C-alpha cells in the first residue's frame, strides 16, 4: 500500500494552526507497515484539492485526508472526494441523530440547516462514527483505490483513527513494524555516524536512522517481522552491539519506545527519576540559566521530595549573601569563573544539606563581559556528596540557545555524577 497524507485547511498554510496530524499519522502508519510516500497541505479551494487528489492517486493507491468536514461552505473535502469518484450523496439518518445528540449536549439551542451537511454521505461509502465531534469519517473504495476522510481537530482525528481507521487498515498489513528510540548526549551526529557507520551500512532489518536535535542526537532502530516478539529481539540485539561500541555506549542516556517530539530533551525526566528512585536530594543555584534548570526538573511529578530549593543568584550581592561566595573570589576571578561556580555549588548544597547541587555561571550575550571573556563561556559546578567538579564550556548561538545548552549540560553532568555514586 502506498499512502499519501493530505491536510486540508487554509489556516494550515497561513501558519495559524500547527499541523500535528501528519506526524501522528505517519508514525501510526509506519507501525502498521504502511509507507507514507508524500505529505501535502492544500487550502480550502475546490480546484486545487481536486488537482491534489489526481496527483496523489497517480502515484498512490491510498489517500488519507484530514480536515474540511465541517458544516460551512468552505468545508469542501467530502464534496471533492465524492466528485473525484463520481458519487452522489444521500442523507445518513444515524449520523444525523448522533450530530443532534452532540449539539444538544453542548448547549446548542438552535440547530441550523447547514449542520445537516455533515450527515450527507457519498453513496457506497463506509461511515466512521465520530465519538468526539459531529463530523463522521468516510471511506470510499473503488478499483483498488481508497480514500479515507477524517476530521481536522487532532482529538477527533486520533480517536477516529484508533477506533475506525486503524482496524480497517490492519487487514492490508502483513508485517509488524516496531521502533525503539535511543537518545545520546555529549556526542555529535557526524561523530556518532562515523563510529556506527559500518553497522548502519550492513543493516536492512532492523534499519537505523540518525536525527540531530538541539544538543543531542536521536537514533531510531526499526525492525519488521510477522510478530512483535521477533521485532523486539532484533532491536535488542542491535542495541546491545551499539552499546558495546567504544566511544558510543557511554553517551546513551535514554532508551525508549516513544519519540517524544514535543520535548527538546528528556534529560530532565531521566535526572528527576534518578533522584526520586534513589531518595537523593538536590539544590540548585543559577546565575546564567536564571531558573531554567529548576523549571525543567519540576516538569516531573513527584520531584518535590528531591528538589529542596532553587536560587536565582544573578547579582554578585546575591552570590555573597545567599550562597556565601567570598568577595575576594569574585574580585580576583570574576563572577564567570571556575572558582565562583565551585563556591556557589558548595554554598547552595550546604544551605539544606542536599546530596547533590548544581551551580551555573556564564555569559549568555549578546555582549562579552568587561574582562573580555567571550559570549558563550559557561562554568557548571556539580556537588556530589562531598565532591565538587567544575566543567568549562563554550557554547555558540543566541542568548536563549546558550542558556538552554547550559541547562541541559548541567543536567547531564549531575546525571553522570549520580550514576557514579550508585
Amino acid at each position: 500500500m502506498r499512502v499519501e497524507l493530505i491536510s486540508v485547511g487554509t489556516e494550515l498554510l497561513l501558519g495559524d494552526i500547527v499541523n500535528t496530524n501528519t506526524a501522528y499519522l505517519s508514525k501510526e502508519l509506519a507501525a502498521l507497515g504502511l509507507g507514507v510516500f508524500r505529505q501535502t497541505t492544500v487550502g480550502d479551494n475546490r480546484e486545487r484539492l481536486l488537482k491534489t487528489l489526481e496527483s496523489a492517486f497517480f502515484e498512490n493507491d491510498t489517500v488519507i485526508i484530514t480536515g474540511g468536514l465541517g458544516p460551512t461552505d468552505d468545508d469542501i473535502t467530502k464534496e471533492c472526494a465524492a466528485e473525484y469518484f463520481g458519487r452522489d450523496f444521500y442523507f445518513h439518518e444515524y449520523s444525523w441523530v448522533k450530530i443532534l445528540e452532540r449539539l444538544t449536549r453542548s448547549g446548542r439551542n438552535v440547530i441550523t440547516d447547514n449542520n445537516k451537511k455533515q450527515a450527507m454521505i457519498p453513496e457506497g461509502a463506509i461511515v466512521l462514527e465520530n465519538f468526539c465531534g459531529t463530523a463522521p469519517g468516510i471511506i470510499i473504495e473503488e478499483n483498488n483505490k481508497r480514500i479515507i476522510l477524517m476530521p481536522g481537530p487532532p482529538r477527533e482525528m486520533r480517536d477516529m483513527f484508533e477506533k475506525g481507521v486503524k482496524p480497517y487498515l490492519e487487514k492490508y498489513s502483513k508485517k509488524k513494524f516496531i521502533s525503539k528510540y535511543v537518545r545520546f548526549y555529549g556526542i555529535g551526529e557526524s561523530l556518532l555516524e562515523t563510529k556506527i557507520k559500518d553497522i548502519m551500512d550492513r543493516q536492512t532489518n532492523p534499519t537505523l536512522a540518525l536525527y540531530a536535535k538541539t544538543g543531542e542526537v536521536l537514533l531510531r532502530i526499526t525492525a519488521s517481522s510477522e510478530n512483535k516478539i521477533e521485532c523486539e529481539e532484533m532491536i535488542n540485539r542491535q542495541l546491545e552491539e551499539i552499546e558495546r561500541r567504544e566511544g558510543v555506549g557511554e553517551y546513551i542516556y535514554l532508551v525508549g519506545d516513544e519519540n517524544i517530539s514535543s520535548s527538546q530533551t528528556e534529560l530532565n525526566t531521566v535526572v528527576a527519576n534518578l533522584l526520586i528512585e534513589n531518595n537523593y536530594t538536590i539544590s540548585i543555584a543559577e546565575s546564567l540559566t536564571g531558573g531554567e534548570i529548576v523549571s525543567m526538573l519540576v516538569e516531573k511529578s513527584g520531584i518535590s521530595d528531591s528538589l529542596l530549593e532553587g536560587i536565582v543568584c544573578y547579582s554578585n550581592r546575591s552570590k555573597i549573601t545567599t550562597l556565601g561566595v567570598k568577595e575576594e573570589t569574585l574580585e580576583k576571578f570574576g563572577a564567570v569563573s571556575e572558582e565562583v561556580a565551585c563556591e556557589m555549588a558548595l554554598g547552595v548544597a550546604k544551605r539544606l544539606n542536599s546530596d547533590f547541587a548544581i551551580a551555573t555561571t556564564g555569559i549568555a550575550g549578546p555582549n562579552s563581559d568587561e574582562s573580555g571573556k567571550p559570549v558563550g563561556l559557561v562554568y557548571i559546578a556539580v556537588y556530589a556528596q562531598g565532591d565538587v567538579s567544575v566543567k568549562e564550556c563554550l557554547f555558540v548561538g543566541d542568548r536563549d540557545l546558550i542558556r538552554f545548552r547550559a541547562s541541559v549540560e548541567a543536567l547531564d553532568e549531575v546525571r553522570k555524577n549520580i550514576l557514579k555514586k550508585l
Side-chain angles (χ1 to χ4, degrees), residues 65-80:
I65 303 182
T66 57
L69 297 181
T72 58
D73 290 340
D74 62 345
D75 292 307
I76 57 171
T77 298
K78 182 169 52 180
E79 288 72 19
C80 288

Side-chain angles (χ1 to χ4, degrees), residues 330-397:
L330 286 162
E331 291 175 359
K332 182 176 181 180
F333 300 103
V336 180
S337 63
E338 176 181 344
E339 292 77 10
V340 168
C342 180
E343 291 188 15
M344 288 172 63
L346 286 168
V348 76
K350 183 179 179 181
R351 281 172 55 87
L352 296 177
N353 194 30
S354 59
D355 297 309
F356 294 86
I358 301 172
T360 63
T361 181
I363 304 170
N367 302 313
S368 59
D369 72 355
E370 296 178 355
S371 65
K373 293 176 181 177
V375 172
L377 177 64
V378 176
Y379 290 96
I380 299 167
V382 174
Y383 170 89
Q385 296 180 328
D387 301 319
V388 182
S389 59
V390 182
K391 184 172 185 178
E392 178 182 300
C393 305
L394 187 61
F395 299 116
V396 295

